[in-house]
Amino acid sequence: MKISLLMPTRKRPVNIDRILSELEPILGDNNIELILGIDEDDDSYDRRSIEQLSGVRIVETPKTPYLSNIYNILFEYSSGEIVGYMSDDITFVNLSVFTHVIESFDTYGNILYFFSPCDAPYPHCVPDHGFVTAASVRALGFFALPNMEHGYIDHYIGRLYKETGLYVVNKTGPILHLRKTSPADETYRIKTDDTDEHGMTCDDRDKIKFNEWVEKYLQIHKDTIMSLPNTHAGA
């Protein structure tokens, strides 16, 4: 099985340099590919050097507030049977995680593999990111809910798989979310602190869309996942 890691990034070249260094031992492996989404107006990265690395592809993406749309764009450039939902503020602590991911998908089929139990107040989110099958993405018609700006991307993914029992959680911390990287980080500020004219953050706006999707489509999407071949309930 091949794993495609989808990673949007903006104005965080130091983070990407670190991530590339962490992944260096396996990037030449035909079983792993890293697909970076860099905004077309972002000149902070050394694109030429990155593109020379084996197993790495840069996709120029539109500057948009909708992070979920970027993930959906990156998925179209992926070639793996397993797709990783990654961000540019994580660190790879133990690369053997990829072997464990493949073994889990071999055993259970179309599941969600993630790293944080994420209990109250957000029991459904998977903030330490995770993996799903490309087959499930194609069946649903999207990797992430369209037009979502921030955190509620992983809330829907988490709820969909957790409520069907199709998930494996790894609490050993092979991939960790570093979260806030710097008080001056523009990306962090926009996604976490900034409010609009109504005093709403992007998560506030996302929550409204999330609740609409849950009400209208969650059961349909759960049935879709459960009906896929090679899916074993009770993972």
Side-chain angles (χ1 to χ4, degrees), residues 152-166:
Y152 277 81
I153 297 172
D154 54 38
H155 283 250
Y156 196 83
I157 293 172
R159 183 158 185 178
L160 175 59
Y161 287 90
K162 288 180 181 181
E163 290 191 1
T164 55
L166 299 174

Side-chain angles (χ1 to χ4, degrees), residues 7-213:
M7 185 176 292
T9 185
R10 178 170 176 80
K11 294 187 178 181
R12 288 176 172 175
V14 173
N15 284 18
I16 296 303
D17 287 345
R18 174 182 48 76
I19 287 169
L20 291 173
S21 177
E22 292 170 352
L23 293 176
E24 183 179 6
I26 61 172
L27 279 179
D29 187 332
N30 291 330
N31 292 327
I32 302 288
E33 68 177 1
L34 174 64
I35 303 177
L36 292 174
I38 300 178
D39 286 358
E40 55 194 359
D41 71 333
D42 188 346
D43 60 1
S44 64
Y45 297 85
D46 185 350
R47 283 172 164 79
R48 180 173 298 180
S49 294
I50 294 173
E51 289 178 328
Q52 289 177 348
L53 298 173
S54 177
V56 182
R57 179 170 188 171
I58 290 177
V59 177
E60 289 207 350
T61 51
K63 183 181 180 182
T64 172
Y66 302 118
L67 180 61
S68 65
N69 295 357
I70 300 300
Y71 279 110
N72 289 331
I73 290 171
L74 297 185
F75 173 75
E76 296 301 321
Y77 290 87
S78 67
S79 59
E81 295 89 350
I82 301 172
V83 185
Y85 159 63
M86 304 286 114
S87 70
D88 63 359
D89 58 353
I90 61 174
T91 182
F92 294 90
V93 178
N94 188 342
L95 297 182
S96 67
V97 65
F98 297 111
T99 299
H100 299 156
V101 168
I102 290 173
E103 290 173 348
S104 293
F105 281 89
D106 280 341
T107 301
Y108 300 114
N110 296 287
I111 61 169
L112 166 69
Y113 186 109
F114 68 106
F115 311 100
S116 170
C118 196
D119 299 320
Y122 304 114
H124 298 296
C125 70
V126 284
D128 291 332
H129 311 286
F131 299 82
V132 296
T133 61
S136 66
V137 176
R138 290 192 293 268
L140 292 170
F142 58 87
F143 179 77
L145 292 185
N147 300 329
M148 302 290 278
E149 298 178 54
H150 190 219
Y152 277 81
I153 297 172
D154 54 38
H155 283 250
Y156 196 83
I157 293 172
R159 183 158 185 178
L160 175 59
Y161 287 90
K162 288 180 181 181
E163 290 191 1
T164 55
L166 299 174
Y167 66 90
V168 171
V169 57
N170 183 339
K171 300 179 183 179
T172 64
I175 299 178
L176 298 178
H177 194 174
L178 301 177
R179 301 184 184 278
K180 193 170 185 178
T181 56
S182 168
D185 189 315
E186 173 192 303
T187 301
Y188 183 90
R189 175 181 54 78
I190 291 172
K191 294 296 182 182
T192 305
D193 298 327
D194 283 4
T195 58
D196 61 18
E197 65 273 19
H198 305 294
M200 300 176 69
T201 66
C202 58
D203 273 354
D204 294 330
R205 296 187 293 270
D206 274 353
K207 186 175 182 180
I208 296 171
K209 300 174 187 176
F210 169 82
N211 288 334
E212 291 175 350
W213 276 84

